Amino acid sequence: MSIAFKKLRPLLNRVVVSKPEATKVSKGGIILKSSESVSWGTVVSVGPGRTLDNGTVRPISVAVGDHVLLPEYGGAAIKLDGEELFVYRDDDIVGILEEPLKQ
Protein backbone atom coordinates (compact mmCIF):
# COMPACT_ATOMS: atom_id res chain seq x y z
CA MET A 1 0.00 0.00 0.00
CA SER A 2 1.39 3.39 -0.97
CA ILE A 3 0.58 6.53 1.02
CA ALA A 4 1.16 10.01 -0.39
CA PHE A 5 1.64 13.11 1.75
CA LYS A 6 1.22 16.78 0.85
CA LYS A 7 3.32 18.52 3.48
CA LEU A 8 6.46 17.96 5.57
CA ARG A 9 7.03 19.82 8.83
CA PRO A 10 10.78 19.58 9.47
CA LEU A 11 12.11 18.97 12.98
CA LEU A 12 15.07 20.51 14.80
CA ASN A 13 17.56 22.15 12.44
CA ARG A 14 16.21 20.72 9.18
CA VAL A 15 15.43 22.85 6.11
CA VAL A 16 13.25 21.76 3.15
CA VAL A 17 14.43 23.16 -0.20
CA SER A 18 12.90 23.15 -3.68
CA LYS A 19 15.45 23.13 -6.52
CA PRO A 20 14.63 24.41 -10.02
CA GLU A 21 15.04 22.02 -12.94
CA ALA A 22 18.44 22.18 -14.60
CA THR A 23 18.01 23.46 -18.15
CA LYS A 24 20.19 24.49 -21.04
CA VAL A 25 19.27 26.72 -23.95
CA SER A 26 20.38 25.60 -27.41
CA LYS A 27 21.78 28.03 -29.99
CA GLY A 28 18.31 28.13 -31.58
CA GLY A 29 16.70 29.11 -28.28
CA ILE A 30 15.20 25.71 -27.47
CA ILE A 31 15.16 24.91 -23.75
CA LEU A 32 16.60 21.46 -23.03
CA LYS A 33 16.64 19.51 -19.77
CA SER A 34 20.14 19.09 -18.39
CA SER A 35 21.49 16.12 -16.45
CA GLU A 36 23.58 18.45 -14.28
CA SER A 37 22.48 19.11 -10.73
CA VAL A 38 21.46 22.58 -9.56
CA SER A 39 23.50 24.06 -6.70
CA TRP A 40 20.82 26.41 -5.36
CA GLY A 41 17.20 26.31 -4.31
CA THR A 42 14.37 28.08 -2.51
CA VAL A 43 13.58 27.37 1.14
CA VAL A 44 10.07 25.90 1.45
CA SER A 45 9.94 25.07 5.15
CA VAL A 46 12.20 25.23 8.24
CA GLY A 47 12.28 23.53 11.62
CA PRO A 48 12.32 25.39 14.93
CA GLY A 49 16.09 25.13 15.42
CA ARG A 50 18.59 23.08 17.38
CA THR A 51 18.38 22.76 21.16
CA LEU A 52 21.81 23.44 22.65
CA ASP A 53 23.29 21.70 25.72
CA ASN A 54 22.24 24.60 27.97
CA GLY A 55 18.58 24.25 26.89
CA THR A 56 18.37 27.30 24.64
CA VAL A 57 17.23 26.94 21.04
CA ARG A 58 19.53 28.18 18.29
CA PRO A 59 17.15 29.41 15.55
CA ILE A 60 17.51 28.45 11.89
CA SER A 61 19.68 30.91 9.93
CA VAL A 62 17.45 30.91 6.81
CA ALA A 63 13.78 31.79 6.30
CA VAL A 64 11.05 30.49 4.03
CA GLY A 65 11.45 32.09 0.59
CA ASP A 66 15.25 32.58 0.84
CA HIS A 67 17.33 31.48 -2.16
CA VAL A 68 20.20 29.39 -0.78
CA LEU A 69 23.48 28.01 -2.09
CA LEU A 70 23.64 24.26 -1.47
CA PRO A 71 26.58 21.87 -1.08
CA GLU A 72 27.51 19.73 -4.07
CA TYR A 73 26.59 16.53 -2.22
CA GLY A 74 24.13 15.80 0.55
CA GLY A 75 20.51 16.38 1.27
CA ALA A 76 17.78 13.77 1.31
CA ALA A 77 15.51 13.76 -1.74
CA ILE A 78 11.79 13.27 -1.07
CA LYS A 79 8.62 13.52 -3.16
CA LEU A 80 5.62 15.33 -1.74
CA ASP A 81 2.46 15.82 -3.75
CA GLY A 82 4.37 15.06 -6.97
CA GLU A 83 7.13 17.63 -6.30
CA GLU A 84 10.75 16.65 -5.60
CA LEU A 85 12.12 18.39 -2.50
CA PHE A 86 15.39 18.12 -0.59
CA VAL A 87 15.98 18.11 3.16
CA TYR A 88 19.23 19.62 4.49
CA ARG A 89 20.58 20.44 7.92
CA ASP A 90 20.83 24.17 8.59
CA ASP A 91 24.59 23.72 9.09
CA ASP A 92 24.99 22.23 5.59
CA ILE A 93 23.59 25.25 3.72
CA VAL A 94 26.47 27.27 2.31
CA GLY A 95 24.85 30.71 2.16
CA ILE A 96 21.94 32.93 1.17
CA LEU A 97 21.90 34.23 -2.41
CA GLU A 98 20.90 37.86 -2.79
CA GLU A 99 20.34 40.37 -5.57
CA PRO A 100 19.48 38.23 -8.61
CA LEU A 101 20.78 39.54 -11.95
CA LYS A 102 18.23 41.20 -14.22
CA GLN A 103 18.04 39.51 -17.61
Side-chain angles (χ1 to χ4, degrees):
M1 183 166 109
S2 175
I3 300 175
F5 294 92
K6 290 187 174 210
K7 188 175 179 183
L8 170 66
R9 186 171 40 104
L11 300 175
L12 301 174
N13 65 336
R14 301 296 198 272
V15 177
V16 180
V17 176
S18 173
K19 291 183 182 180
E21 281 190 25
T23 57
K24 289 183 180 179
V25 178
S26 70
K27 290 181 182 181
I30 298 173
I31 298 174
L32 308 168
K33 279 190 174 181
S34 174
S35 60
E36 299 173 6
S37 66
V38 177
S39 62
W40 69 278
T42 304
V43 176
V44 175
S45 182
V46 298
R50 172 179 281 174
T51 303
L52 303 176
D53 292 337
N54 64 6
T56 61
V57 176
R58 187 184 91 191
I60 300 289
S61 57
V62 296
V64 173
D66 283 348
H67 300 291
V68 293
L69 182 63
L70 301 168
E72 186 175 350
Y73 299 104
I78 59 169
K79 274 203 172 199
L80 288 178
D81 201 22
E83 181 181 7
E84 187 172 32
L85 300 171
F86 297 86
V87 180
Y88 291 90
R89 285 188 171 95
D90 181 42
D91 300 343
D92 292 340
I93 293 176
V94 179
I96 299 172
L97 298 168
E98 298 177 349
E99 300 182 29
L101 295 174
K102 305 278 190 235
Q103 292 185 354

Coordinates of all heavy atoms in Angstrom, one line a residue:
M1 N 0.8 -1.2 0.0 CA 0.0 0.0 0.0 C 0.9 1.2 0.0 O 1.8 1.3 0.8 CB -0.9 0.0 1.2 CG -1.8 1.1 1.3 SD -3.1 0.9 2.5 CE -2.6 2.0 3.7
S2 N 0.6 2.2 -0.9 CA 1.4 3.4 -1.0 C 0.6 4.6 -0.4 O -0.6 4.7 -0.7 CB 1.7 3.7 -2.4 OG 2.4 4.9 -2.6
I3 N 1.2 5.4 0.4 CA 0.6 6.5 1.0 C 1.3 7.8 0.5 O 2.5 7.8 0.6 CB 0.6 6.5 2.6 CG1 -0.1 5.2 3.0 CG2 0.0 7.7 3.2 CD1 -0.1 5.0 4.5
A4 N 0.6 8.8 0.1 CA 1.2 10.0 -0.4 C 0.9 11.1 0.6 O -0.2 11.1 1.2 CB 0.6 10.4 -1.7
F5 N 1.8 12.0 0.8 CA 1.6 13.1 1.8 C 1.8 14.4 1.0 O 2.5 14.5 0.0 CB 2.7 13.0 2.9 CG 2.5 11.8 3.8 CD1 3.1 10.6 3.5 CD2 1.6 11.9 4.9 CE1 2.9 9.6 4.4 CE2 1.4 10.8 5.7 CZ 2.0 9.6 5.4
K6 N 1.2 15.5 1.5 CA 1.2 16.8 0.9 C 2.2 17.7 1.5 O 2.6 18.7 0.9 CB -0.2 17.4 0.9 CG -1.1 16.8 0.0 CD -2.4 17.5 -0.1 CE -3.3 16.9 -1.1 NZ -4.2 17.9 -1.7
K7 N 2.5 17.5 2.8 CA 3.3 18.5 3.5 C 4.3 17.8 4.4 O 4.0 16.8 5.0 CB 2.4 19.4 4.3 CG 3.0 20.6 4.9 CD 2.0 21.5 5.6 CE 2.6 22.7 6.2 NZ 1.7 23.5 6.9
L8 N 5.5 18.4 4.6 CA 6.5 18.0 5.6 C 6.8 19.1 6.5 O 7.1 20.2 6.1 CB 7.7 17.5 4.8 CG 8.9 17.2 5.7 CD1 8.7 16.0 6.6 CD2 10.2 17.0 4.9
R9 N 6.7 18.8 7.8 CA 7.0 19.8 8.8 C 8.4 19.4 9.4 O 8.4 18.4 10.2 CB 6.0 19.9 9.9 CG 6.2 21.0 10.9 CD 5.0 21.1 11.9 NE 4.4 19.9 12.3 CZ 4.5 19.3 13.5 NH1 5.3 19.9 14.4 NH2 3.9 18.2 13.8
P10 N 9.5 20.0 9.0 CA 10.8 19.6 9.5 C 11.0 19.8 11.0 O 10.4 20.7 11.6 CB 11.8 20.4 8.7 CG 11.0 21.6 8.2 CD 9.5 21.2 8.2
L11 N 11.8 18.9 11.6 CA 12.1 19.0 13.0 C 13.5 19.5 13.2 O 14.3 19.5 12.3 CB 12.0 17.6 13.6 CG 10.7 16.9 13.5 CD1 10.8 15.5 14.1 CD2 9.6 17.7 14.2
L12 N 13.8 20.0 14.4 CA 15.1 20.5 14.8 C 15.7 21.5 13.8 O 15.0 22.5 13.5 CB 16.0 19.3 15.1 CG 15.5 18.4 16.2 CD1 16.4 17.2 16.3 CD2 15.4 19.1 17.5
N13 N 16.9 21.2 13.3 CA 17.6 22.2 12.4 C 17.5 21.7 11.0 O 18.4 22.0 10.2 CB 19.0 22.3 12.9 CG 19.8 21.0 12.7 OD1 19.3 19.9 12.7 ND2 21.1 21.2 12.6
R14 N 16.4 21.2 10.6 CA 16.2 20.7 9.2 C 15.6 21.8 8.3 O 14.7 22.6 8.8 CB 15.4 19.5 9.1 CG 15.9 18.3 9.9 CD 17.2 17.8 9.3 NE 17.5 16.5 9.7 CZ 18.2 16.1 10.8 NH1 18.6 17.1 11.6 NH2 18.5 14.9 11.0
V15 N 15.9 21.9 7.1 CA 15.4 22.9 6.1 C 15.0 22.1 4.9 O 15.7 21.3 4.3 CB 16.5 23.9 5.7 CG1 16.0 24.9 4.7 CG2 17.0 24.6 7.0
V16 N 13.8 22.4 4.4 CA 13.3 21.8 3.1 C 13.4 22.8 2.0 O 13.0 23.9 2.1 CB 11.8 21.4 3.3 CG1 11.2 20.8 2.0 CG2 11.6 20.4 4.5
V17 N 14.1 22.3 0.9 CA 14.4 23.2 -0.2 C 13.9 22.6 -1.5 O 13.9 21.4 -1.7 CB 16.0 23.3 -0.3 CG1 16.4 24.1 -1.5 CG2 16.6 23.9 0.9
S18 N 13.4 23.5 -2.3 CA 12.9 23.1 -3.7 C 13.9 23.7 -4.7 O 14.3 24.8 -4.7 CB 11.6 23.8 -4.0 OG 11.2 23.6 -5.3
K19 N 14.5 22.7 -5.5 CA 15.5 23.1 -6.5 C 14.8 23.3 -7.9 O 13.9 22.5 -8.2 CB 16.5 22.0 -6.7 CG 17.4 21.9 -5.5 CD 18.5 20.8 -5.9 CE 19.4 20.5 -4.8 NZ 20.4 19.5 -5.2
P20 N 15.2 24.3 -8.7 CA 14.6 24.4 -10.0 C 15.2 23.3 -10.9 O 16.2 22.7 -10.6 CB 15.1 25.8 -10.5 CG 16.4 26.0 -9.7 CD 16.2 25.3 -8.4
E21 N 14.5 23.0 -12.0 CA 15.0 22.0 -12.9 C 16.2 22.6 -13.7 O 16.2 23.8 -14.0 CB 14.0 21.6 -14.0 CG 13.0 20.7 -13.5 CD 12.1 20.2 -14.6 OE1 12.5 20.2 -15.8 OE2 11.0 19.8 -14.3
A22 N 17.3 21.8 -13.9 CA 18.4 22.2 -14.6 C 18.1 22.2 -16.1 O 17.6 21.2 -16.6 CB 19.6 21.2 -14.4
T23 N 18.3 23.3 -16.7 CA 18.0 23.5 -18.1 C 19.2 24.1 -18.9 O 20.0 24.8 -18.3 CB 16.7 24.3 -18.4 OG1 16.9 25.6 -17.8 CG2 15.5 23.7 -17.8
K24 N 19.2 23.8 -20.1 CA 20.2 24.5 -21.0 C 19.4 25.1 -22.2 O 18.4 24.5 -22.6 CB 21.2 23.5 -21.6 CG 22.2 23.0 -20.6 CD 23.2 22.1 -21.3 CE 24.2 21.5 -20.3 NZ 25.2 20.6 -20.9
V25 N 19.9 26.1 -22.8 CA 19.3 26.7 -24.0 C 20.2 26.5 -25.2 O 21.4 26.8 -25.1 CB 19.0 28.2 -23.7 CG1 18.4 28.8 -25.0 CG2 18.2 28.5 -22.5
S26 N 19.6 25.9 -26.2 CA 20.4 25.6 -27.4 C 20.6 26.9 -28.2 O 20.0 27.9 -27.9 CB 19.6 24.6 -28.3 OG 18.5 25.2 -28.9
K27 N 21.5 26.8 -29.2 CA 21.8 28.0 -30.0 C 20.5 28.6 -30.7 O 20.4 29.8 -30.9 CB 22.8 27.7 -31.1 CG 24.2 27.5 -30.5 CD 25.2 27.2 -31.6 CE 26.5 26.9 -31.0 NZ 27.6 26.6 -32.0
G28 N 19.6 27.7 -30.9 CA 18.3 28.1 -31.6 C 17.3 28.6 -30.6 O 16.2 29.0 -31.0
G29 N 17.6 28.6 -29.3 CA 16.7 29.1 -28.3 C 15.8 28.1 -27.7 O 14.8 28.4 -27.0
I30 N 16.0 26.8 -28.0 CA 15.2 25.7 -27.5 C 15.7 25.3 -26.1 O 16.9 25.2 -25.9 CB 15.2 24.5 -28.4 CG1 14.7 24.8 -29.8 CG2 14.5 23.3 -27.8 CD1 14.8 23.8 -30.8
I31 N 14.8 25.2 -25.1 CA 15.2 24.9 -23.7 C 15.2 23.4 -23.6 O 14.2 22.7 -23.9 CB 14.1 25.5 -22.7 CG1 14.1 27.0 -22.8 CG2 14.5 25.0 -21.3 CD1 13.1 27.7 -22.0
L32 N 16.4 22.9 -23.2 CA 16.6 21.5 -23.0 C 16.8 21.1 -21.6 O 17.5 21.9 -20.8 CB 17.8 21.0 -23.8 CG 17.9 21.4 -25.3 CD1 19.2 21.2 -25.9 CD2 16.8 20.6 -26.1
K33 N 16.3 20.0 -21.1 CA 16.6 19.5 -19.8 C 18.1 19.1 -19.7 O 18.7 18.5 -20.6 CB 15.8 18.3 -19.4 CG 14.4 18.7 -19.0 CD 13.7 17.4 -18.4 CE 12.4 17.8 -17.8 NZ 11.7 16.7 -17.2
S34 N 18.7 19.4 -18.6 CA 20.1 19.1 -18.4 C 20.3 18.0 -17.3 O 19.4 17.9 -16.4 CB 20.9 20.3 -17.9 OG 22.2 20.0 -17.6
S35 N 21.3 17.2 -17.4 CA 21.5 16.1 -16.5 C 22.3 16.6 -15.3 O 22.5 15.9 -14.3 CB 22.2 14.9 -17.1 OG 23.4 15.3 -17.6
E36 N 22.8 17.9 -15.4 CA 23.6 18.4 -14.3 C 22.7 18.8 -13.1 O 21.5 19.0 -13.3 CB 24.3 19.7 -14.8 CG 25.2 19.6 -15.9 CD 25.7 20.9 -16.4 OE1 25.4 21.9 -15.8 OE2 26.4 20.9 -17.4
S37 N 23.3 18.8 -11.9 CA 22.5 19.1 -10.7 C 22.6 20.6 -10.5 O 23.5 21.3 -10.9 CB 23.0 18.4 -9.5 OG 24.3 18.8 -9.2
V38 N 21.5 21.2 -9.9 CA 21.5 22.6 -9.6 C 22.0 22.8 -8.2 O 21.7 22.0 -7.2 CB 20.0 23.0 -9.6 CG1 19.9 24.5 -9.3 CG2 19.5 22.8 -11.0
S39 N 22.8 23.8 -8.0 CA 23.5 24.1 -6.7 C 22.8 25.1 -5.8 O 23.4 25.6 -4.9 CB 24.9 24.5 -6.9 OG 25.0 25.7 -7.6
W40 N 21.6 25.4 -6.2 CA 20.8 26.4 -5.4 C 19.3 26.0 -5.3 O 18.9 25.2 -6.1 CB 21.0 27.8 -5.9 CG 20.3 28.1 -7.2 CD1 20.8 27.8 -8.4 CD2 19.0 28.6 -7.4 NE1 19.9 28.1 -9.4 CE2 18.8 28.6 -8.8 CE3 18.0 29.1 -6.6 CZ2 17.6 29.1 -9.4 CZ3 16.9 29.6 -7.1 CH2 16.7 29.6 -8.5
G41 N 18.6 26.6 -4.4 CA 17.2 26.3 -4.3 C 16.5 27.3 -3.5 O 17.1 28.3 -2.9
T42 N 15.2 27.2 -3.3 CA 14.4 28.1 -2.5 C 13.9 27.3 -1.3 O 13.4 26.2 -1.4 CB 13.2 28.6 -3.3 OG1 13.7 29.2 -4.5 CG2 12.3 29.6 -2.6
V43 N 14.0 28.0 -0.1 CA 13.6 27.4 1.1 C 12.1 27.3 1.2 O 11.4 28.3 1.0 CB 14.1 28.2 2.3 CG1 13.6 27.6 3.7 CG2 15.6 28.2 2.3
V44 N 11.5 26.1 1.4 CA 10.1 25.9 1.5 C 9.6 25.8 2.9 O 8.5 26.3 3.2 CB 9.7 24.6 0.7 CG1 8.3 24.3 0.8 CG2 10.1 24.7 -0.7
S45 N 10.4 25.2 3.8 CA 9.9 25.1 5.2 C 11.2 24.9 6.0 O 12.2 24.4 5.6 CB 9.1 23.8 5.2 OG 8.6 23.6 6.5
V46 N 11.1 25.4 7.3 CA 12.2 25.2 8.2 C 11.7 24.7 9.6 O 10.5 24.9 9.9 CB 12.9 26.6 8.5 CG1 13.5 27.1 7.2 CG2 12.0 27.6 9.1
G47 N 12.6 24.0 10.3 CA 12.3 23.5 11.6 C 12.5 24.6 12.6 O 12.9 25.8 12.3
P48 N 12.2 24.4 13.9 CA 12.3 25.4 14.9 C 13.8 25.8 15.3 O 14.0 26.8 15.8 CB 11.6 24.8 16.1 CG 11.7 23.3 15.9 CD 11.7 23.1 14.4
G49 N 14.7 24.9 15.1 CA 16.1 25.1 15.4 C 16.6 24.0 16.3 O 15.9 23.1 16.7
R50 N 17.9 24.1 16.6 CA 18.6 23.1 17.4 C 18.6 23.5 18.8 O 18.9 24.6 19.2 CB 20.0 22.9 16.9 CG 20.8 22.0 17.8 CD 22.2 21.8 17.3 NE 22.1 20.8 16.2 CZ 23.1 20.4 15.5 NH1 24.3 21.0 15.6 NH2 22.9 19.5 14.5
T51 N 18.3 22.5 19.7 CA 18.4 22.8 21.2 C 19.8 22.5 21.6 O 20.4 21.4 21.4 CB 17.4 21.8 21.9 OG1 16.1 22.0 21.4 CG2 17.5 22.1 23.4
L52 N 20.4 23.5 22.2 CA 21.8 23.4 22.6 C 21.9 22.7 24.0 O 20.8 22.5 24.7 CB 22.4 24.8 22.7 CG 22.4 25.6 21.4 CD1 22.9 27.0 21.6 CD2 23.2 24.9 20.3
D53 N 23.1 22.4 24.4 CA 23.3 21.7 25.7 C 22.7 22.5 26.9 O 22.3 21.9 27.9 CB 24.8 21.4 25.9 CG 25.3 20.4 24.9 OD1 24.5 19.6 24.4 OD2 26.5 20.4 24.7
N54 N 22.7 23.8 26.8 CA 22.2 24.6 28.0 C 20.7 24.8 27.9 O 20.2 25.5 28.7 CB 23.0 26.0 28.0 CG 22.7 26.8 26.8 OD1 21.9 26.5 26.0 ND2 23.4 28.0 26.8
G55 N 20.0 24.2 27.0 CA 18.6 24.3 26.9 C 18.0 25.3 26.0 O 16.8 25.4 25.7
T56 N 18.9 26.3 25.5 CA 18.4 27.3 24.6 C 18.3 26.8 23.2 O 18.9 25.8 22.9 CB 19.3 28.5 24.6 OG1 20.6 28.1 24.2 CG2 19.4 29.1 26.0
V57 N 17.4 27.4 22.4 CA 17.2 26.9 21.0 C 18.0 27.9 20.1 O 17.7 29.1 20.2 CB 15.7 26.9 20.7 CG1 15.5 26.6 19.2 CG2 15.0 25.9 21.6
R58 N 18.9 27.4 19.3 CA 19.5 28.2 18.3 C 18.6 28.2 17.1 O 18.4 27.2 16.4 CB 20.9 27.6 17.9 CG 21.7 28.5 17.0 CD 23.0 27.9 16.6 NE 22.7 27.2 15.3 CZ 23.5 26.4 14.8 NH1 24.7 26.1 15.3 NH2 23.2 25.8 13.6
P59 N 18.1 29.4 16.7 CA 17.2 29.4 15.6 C 17.8 29.1 14.2 O 19.1 29.3 14.1 CB 16.6 30.8 15.6 CG 17.6 31.6 16.4 CD 18.3 30.7 17.3
I60 N 17.0 28.7 13.2 CA 17.5 28.5 11.9 C 18.0 29.8 11.3 O 17.4 30.8 11.5 CB 16.4 27.8 11.0 CG1 15.9 26.5 11.7 CG2 16.8 27.7 9.6 CD1 16.8 25.4 11.5
S61 N 19.1 29.7 10.5 CA 19.7 30.9 9.9 C 19.1 31.3 8.6 O 19.5 32.3 8.0 CB 21.2 30.7 9.8 OG 21.5 29.6 9.0
V62 N 18.1 30.6 8.1 CA 17.5 30.9 6.8 C 16.0 31.0 7.1 O 15.5 30.4 8.0 CB 17.8 29.9 5.7 CG1 19.2 29.9 5.3 CG2 17.3 28.5 6.0
A63 N 15.2 31.6 6.2 CA 13.8 31.8 6.3 C 13.1 31.3 5.0 O 13.7 31.1 4.0 CB 13.4 33.3 6.5
V64 N 11.8 30.9 5.2 CA 11.0 30.5 4.0 C 11.1 31.6 2.9 O 10.9 32.8 3.2 CB 9.6 30.2 4.5 CG1 8.7 29.9 3.2 CG2 9.5 29.1 5.4
G65 N 11.4 31.2 1.7 CA 11.5 32.1 0.6 C 12.9 32.5 0.2 O 13.1 33.0 -0.8
D66 N 13.8 32.3 1.1 CA 15.2 32.6 0.8 C 15.8 31.7 -0.3 O 15.4 30.5 -0.4 CB 16.1 32.4 2.1 CG 16.0 33.5 3.1 OD1 15.5 34.5 2.8 OD2 16.6 33.3 4.2
H67 N 16.6 32.2 -1.1 CA 17.3 31.5 -2.2 C 18.7 31.1 -1.5 O 19.4 32.0 -1.1 CB 17.5 32.3 -3.5 CG 16.2 32.7 -4.1 ND1 15.3 31.8 -4.7 CD2 15.6 33.9 -4.2 CE1 14.3 32.4 -5.1 NE2 14.4 33.7 -4.8
V68 N 19.0 29.8 -1.5 CA 20.2 29.4 -0.8 C 21.1 28.6 -1.7 O 20.7 28.0 -2.6 CB 19.8 28.5 0.4 CG1 19.1 29.3 1.5 CG2 19.0 27.3 0.1
L69 N 22.4 28.8 -1.4 CA 23.5 28.0 -2.1 C 23.6 26.7 -1.3 O 23.8 26.7 -0.1 CB 24.8 28.8 -2.1 CG 26.0 28.2 -2.8 CD1 25.7 28.0 -4.3 CD2 27.2 29.0 -2.6
L70 N 23.6 25.6 -2.1 CA 23.6 24.3 -1.5 C 25.0 23.6 -1.7 O 25.6 23.9 -2.7 CB 22.5 23.4 -2.1 CG 21.1 24.0 -1.9 CD1 20.1 23.3 -2.7 CD2 20.7 24.0 -0.4
P71 N 25.4 22.6 -0.9 CA 26.6 21.9 -1.1 C 26.4 21.0 -2.3 O 25.3 20.6 -2.7 CB 26.7 21.1 0.2 CG 25.4 20.9 0.8 CD 24.7 22.2 0.4
E72 N 27.5 20.6 -2.9 CA 27.5 19.7 -4.1 C 26.9 18.4 -3.8 O 26.1 17.8 -4.6 CB 28.9 19.5 -4.6 CG 29.0 18.8 -5.9 CD 30.4 18.7 -6.5 OE1 31.3 19.4 -6.0 OE2 30.6 18.0 -7.5
Y73 N 27.1 17.8 -2.6 CA 26.6 16.5 -2.2 C 25.8 16.7 -0.9 O 26.0 17.6 -0.2 CB 27.7 15.5 -2.0 CG 28.5 15.3 -3.3 CD1 29.8 15.8 -3.4 CD2 28.0 14.5 -4.3 CE1 30.5 15.6 -4.5 CE2 28.8 14.3 -5.5 CZ 30.0 14.9 -5.6 OH 30.7 14.7 -6.7
G74 N 24.9 15.8 -0.7 CA 24.1 15.8 0.5 C 22.7 16.1 0.3 O 22.2 16.4 -0.8
G75 N 21.9 16.1 1.4 CA 20.5 16.4 1.3 C 19.8 15.1 1.0 O 20.3 14.3 0.2
A76 N 18.6 14.9 1.6 CA 17.8 13.8 1.3 C 16.7 14.2 0.4 O 15.9 15.1 0.6 CB 17.2 13.3 2.6
A77 N 16.6 13.5 -0.7 CA 15.5 13.8 -1.7 C 14.2 13.1 -1.3 O 14.2 11.9 -0.9 CB 15.9 13.3 -3.1
I78 N 13.1 13.8 -1.4 CA 11.8 13.3 -1.1 C 10.8 13.8 -2.1 O 11.1 14.8 -2.8 CB 11.3 13.7 0.3 CG1 11.3 15.2 0.5 CG2 12.2 13.1 1.4 CD1 10.6 15.7 1.7
K79 N 9.7 13.1 -2.3 CA 8.6 13.5 -3.2 C 7.4 13.8 -2.3 O 6.9 12.9 -1.6 CB 8.3 12.5 -4.2 CG 9.2 12.6 -5.4 CD 8.6 12.0 -6.6 CE 9.4 12.4 -7.8 NZ 8.8 12.2 -9.0
L80 N 6.8 15.0 -2.4 CA 5.6 15.3 -1.7 C 4.7 15.9 -2.8 O 5.0 16.9 -3.4 CB 5.9 16.4 -0.6 CG 6.6 15.9 0.6 CD1 6.8 17.1 1.6 CD2 5.8 14.8 1.3
D81 N 3.5 15.3 -2.9 CA 2.5 15.8 -3.8 C 3.0 16.0 -5.2 O 2.7 17.0 -5.8 CB 1.9 17.1 -3.2 CG 0.5 17.4 -3.8 OD1 -0.2 16.5 -4.2 OD2 0.1 18.6 -3.8
G82 N 3.8 15.0 -5.6 CA 4.4 15.1 -7.0 C 5.6 16.0 -7.2 O 6.1 16.0 -8.3
E83 N 6.0 16.7 -6.2 CA 7.1 17.6 -6.3 C 8.4 17.1 -5.6 O 8.2 16.5 -4.5 CB 6.8 19.0 -5.7 CG 7.9 20.0 -5.8 CD 7.6 21.3 -5.2 OE1 6.5 21.5 -4.5 OE2 8.4 22.3 -5.4
E84 N 9.5 17.1 -6.2 CA 10.7 16.6 -5.6 C 11.3 17.8 -4.7 O 11.6 18.9 -5.2 CB 11.8 16.2 -6.6 CG 13.0 15.6 -6.0 CD 13.9 14.9 -7.0 OE1 14.1 15.5 -8.1 OE2 14.6 13.9 -6.7
L85 N 11.5 17.5 -3.5 CA 12.1 18.4 -2.5 C 13.3 17.8 -1.9 O 13.5 16.5 -2.0 CB 11.1 18.7 -1.4 CG 9.8 19.4 -1.9 CD1 8.8 19.4 -0.8 CD2 10.1 20.7 -2.5
F86 N 14.2 18.6 -1.2 CA 15.4 18.1 -0.6 C 15.4 18.6 0.8 O 15.1 19.8 1.1 CB 16.6 18.6 -1.4 CG 16.6 18.1 -2.8 CD1 16.0 18.7 -3.8 CD2 17.3 16.9 -3.1 CE1 16.0 18.2 -5.1 CE2 17.4 16.4 -4.4 CZ 16.7 17.1 -5.4
V87 N 15.9 17.8 1.8 CA 16.0 18.1 3.2 C 17.5 18.2 3.5 O 18.2 17.3 3.3 CB 15.3 17.1 4.1 CG1 15.4 17.5 5.5 CG2 13.8 16.9 3.7
Y88 N 17.9 19.4 4.1 CA 19.2 19.6 4.5 C 19.2 20.0 6.0 O 18.2 20.5 6.5 CB 19.8 20.8 3.7 CG 20.1 20.5 2.2 CD1 19.1 20.7 1.3 CD2 21.3 19.9 1.8 CE1 19.4 20.4 -0.1 CE2 21.6 19.6 0.5 CZ 20.6 19.9 -0.4 OH 20.8 19.6 -1.7
R89 N 20.4 19.9 6.6 CA 20.6 20.4 7.9 C 20.9 21.9 7.7 O 21.6 22.3 6.7 CB 21.7 19.7 8.7 CG 21.4 18.4 9.2 CD 22.5 17.9 10.1 NE 22.1 16.7 10.7 CZ 22.4 15.5 10.3 NH1 23.0 15.3 9.2 NH2 21.9 14.4 11.0
D90 N 20.5 22.7 8.6 CA 20.8 24.2 8.6 C 22.3 24.4 8.4 O 22.8 25.3 7.7 CB 20.3 24.9 9.8 CG 20.5 26.3 9.9 OD1 20.4 27.0 8.8 OD2 20.9 26.9 10.9
D91 N 23.1 23.6 9.1 CA 24.6 23.7 9.1 C 25.2 23.4 7.7 O 26.3 23.9 7.4 CB 25.3 22.8 10.1 CG 24.8 23.1 11.5 OD1 24.3 24.2 11.8 OD2 25.0 22.2 12.4
D92 N 24.5 22.6 6.9 CA 25.0 22.2 5.6 C 24.8 23.3 4.5 O 25.5 23.3 3.5 CB 24.3 20.9 5.1 CG 24.7 19.7 6.0 OD1 25.8 19.8 6.7 OD2 24.0 18.7 6.0
I93 N 23.9 24.2 4.7 CA 23.6 25.2 3.7 C 24.8 26.2 3.7 O 25.2 26.7 4.7 CB 22.3 26.0 4.0 CG1 21.1 24.9 3.8 CG2 22.1 27.2 3.1 CD1 19.8 25.4 4.2
V94 N 25.3 26.5 2.5 CA 26.5 27.3 2.3 C 26.2 28.8 2.5 O 27.0 29.5 3.2 CB 27.1 27.0 0.9 CG1 28.3 27.9 0.7 CG2 27.4 25.5 0.7
G95 N 25.1 29.3 2.0 CA 24.8 30.7 2.2 C 23.5 31.1 1.5 O 22.8 30.3 0.9
I96 N 23.2 32.4 1.7 CA 21.9 32.9 1.2 C 22.3 33.8 0.0 O 23.2 34.6 0.0 CB 21.2 33.8 2.2 CG1 20.8 32.9 3.4 CG2 20.0 34.5 1.6 CD1 20.3 33.7 4.6
L97 N 21.6 33.5 -1.2 CA 21.9 34.2 -2.4 C 21.0 35.5 -2.4 O 19.8 35.4 -2.1 CB 21.6 33.3 -3.6 CG 22.4 32.1 -3.8 CD1 21.8 31.1 -4.8 CD2 23.8 32.4 -4.1
E98 N 21.6 36.6 -2.8 CA 20.9 37.9 -2.8 C 21.1 38.6 -4.1 O 22.1 38.3 -4.8 CB 21.4 38.8 -1.6 CG 21.1 38.2 -0.3 CD 21.6 39.0 0.9 OE1 22.3 39.9 0.7 OE2 21.2 38.7 2.0
E99 N 20.3 39.5 -4.4 CA 20.3 40.4 -5.6 C 20.5 39.6 -6.9 O 21.6 39.6 -7.5 CB 21.5 41.4 -5.4 CG 21.3 42.3 -4.2 CD 22.5 43.3 -4.1 OE1 23.0 43.7 -5.2 OE2 22.8 43.7 -3.0
P100 N 19.4 38.9 -7.3 CA 19.5 38.2 -8.6 C 19.8 39.2 -9.8 O 19.4 40.4 -9.7 CB 18.1 37.6 -8.8 CG 17.2 38.3 -7.8 CD 18.1 38.9 -6.8
L101 N 20.5 38.7 -10.8 CA 20.8 39.5 -12.0 C 19.5 39.7 -12.8 O 18.7 38.8 -13.0 CB 21.8 38.9 -12.8 CG 23.2 38.7 -12.2 CD1 24.1 37.9 -13.1 CD2 23.8 40.1 -11.9
K102 N 19.3 40.9 -13.3 CA 18.2 41.2 -14.2 C 18.6 40.7 -15.6 O 19.7 41.0 -16.1 CB 17.9 42.7 -14.3 CG 17.7 43.3 -12.9 CD 16.3 43.1 -12.5 CE 16.0 43.9 -11.2 NZ 15.5 43.2 -10.1
Q103 N 17.7 40.0 -16.3 CA 18.0 39.5 -17.6 C 17.2 40.2 -18.6 O 16.2 40.7 -18.5 CB 17.8 38.0 -17.7 CG 18.7 37.2 -16.8 CD 18.6 35.7 -17.0 OE1 17.7 35.3 -17.7 NE2 19.4 35.0 -16.4

